[in-house]
């Protein structure tokens, strides 16, 4: 009963967020259709165009570079495209009212099930409530910091700190990705708990799908799987299970990799590149702090070649403190998890702990070209 109530509360939270975010975004009047918002509405309109195209052409072609192959994850839009086609529901009300709150609710429920497999229901409820409603300090920063730069994002506050949380889930591809991401982790956790081959296959398949949905998430999980396998100590059973999951995931990923190699260069949207500390540096630009930090570096350090490390240090502290926010309270738990200092489900906790570490560390090394896709 507690689990049912907790899940109902999460669905109500997602629905409430949906009303606040989407309640007045679409207006239909006799003269025509009015869309309210900024680039967030532009994104939704683009996704709606993908679904409209997918309702009669699979795979859909791209809206930009018209007629070219779509180099993006269109799979979630197929569901909405079929609702549009066979249930005769207009596409704009789907996207500007119901689609993203539904994805958010599905992600919250998938995450609840994941955490519930390892912890009591209050922990699972709190975890998902924080992901949905506020897991960093960008609200406080938006309230107290001066907004005197044209680069400040007034629509999605977390993006000023390059923190992909709350607001962002309502609009970009993290919304439909979260259910797949968390369900994949659940499959892996169940494989480690039960040693059942079916869970290995399911978890590996869902993680492989992440390669098409969100390559960054795929890289984070694969890095965590490998690190957890290496640092499993004497837990050889867990180590071999993790190795099997990595191998199965790579097998499922091969067709997606081959598809990328077969893609015409003109249709390639972005590529992964190594670029150290790009996100903290971009954050300073969005906050309008570049000149302030440069002046601080000149005043504190007389040696010129040491100033850049100081600037990167300051940027990194702000990036991690505000962008990671309240999640820092879980840092001791992450350390215990990767060390295996837990009473039960040590292999599962170790994997999730390494997911956290990889999720924090990889953005300091990898970005995309063009930057906007990062």
């Amino acid at each position: 009963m507690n689990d049912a109530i907790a899940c109902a509360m999460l669905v109500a939270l997602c629905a409430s967020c949906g009303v606040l975010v989407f309640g007045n975004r679409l207006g239909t009047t006799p003269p025509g259709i009015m869309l309210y918002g900024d680039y967030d509405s532009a994104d939704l309109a683009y996704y709606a165009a993908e679904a409209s195209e997918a309702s009669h052409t699979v795979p859909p072609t791209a809206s930009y570079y018209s007629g070219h192959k779509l180099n993006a994850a269109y799979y979630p839009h197929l569901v909405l495209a079929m609702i549009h086609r066979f249930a005769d529901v207009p596409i704009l009300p789907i996207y500007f009212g119901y689609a993203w709150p539904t994805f958010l609710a599905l992600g919250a429920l998938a995450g609840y099930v994941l955490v519930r497999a390892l912890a009591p229901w209050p922990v699972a409820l709190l975890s998902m409530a924080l992901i949905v409603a506020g897991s960093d300090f960008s609200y406080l920063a938006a309230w107290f910091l001066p907004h005197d730069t044209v680069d400040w994002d007034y629509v999605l506050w977390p993006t000023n700190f390059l923190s992909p949380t709350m607001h962002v889930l309502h609009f970009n591809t993290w919304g439909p990705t979260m259910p797949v991401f968390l369900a994949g982790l659940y499959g892996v956790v169940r494989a480690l708990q039960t040693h059942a081959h079916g869970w290995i296959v399911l978890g590996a398949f869902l993680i492989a799908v992440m390669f098409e949905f969100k390559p960054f998430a795929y890289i984070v999980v694969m890095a965590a799987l490998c690190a957890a396998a290496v640092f499993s100590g004497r837990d050889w059973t867990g180590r071999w299970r993790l190795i099997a999951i990595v191998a199965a995931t790579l097998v499922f990923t091969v067709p997606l990799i081959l598809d990328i190699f077969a893609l015409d260069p003109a249709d390639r949207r972005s590529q992964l590149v190594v670029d150290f500390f790009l996100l903290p540096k971009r954050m300073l630009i969005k906050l309008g702090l570049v000149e302030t930090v440069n002046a601080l570096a000149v005043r504190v350090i007389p040696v010129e070649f040491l100033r850049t490390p100081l600037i990167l240090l300051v940027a990194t502290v702000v990036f991690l403190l505000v962008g990671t926010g309240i999640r820092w309270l879980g840092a001791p738990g992450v350390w215990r998890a990767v060390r295996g200092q837990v009473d039960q489900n040590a292999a599962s906790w170790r994997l999730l702990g390494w997911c956290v570490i990889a999720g924090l560390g990889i953005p300091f090394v990898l970005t995309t070209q063009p930057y906007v896709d990062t």
Side-chain angles (χ1 to χ4, degrees), residues 1-10 111-113 115-129:
M1 179 60 72
N2 289 335
D3 288 321
I5 294 174
C7 289
M9 292 173 64
L10 288 174
Y112 181 89
V113 172
V115 182
R116 190 67 182 88
L118 298 169
W121 70 267
V123 177
L125 176 60
L126 178 62
S127 300
M128 292 306 105

Side-chain angles (χ1 to χ4, degrees), residues 80-105:
L80 306 175
M82 295 307 104
I83 294 173
H84 168 60
R85 177 174 178 175
F86 295 108
D88 199 27
V89 179
I91 199 72
L92 288 181
I94 291 176
Y95 275 83
F96 285 86
Y98 303 106
W100 255 246
T102 301
F103 288 140
L104 195 60

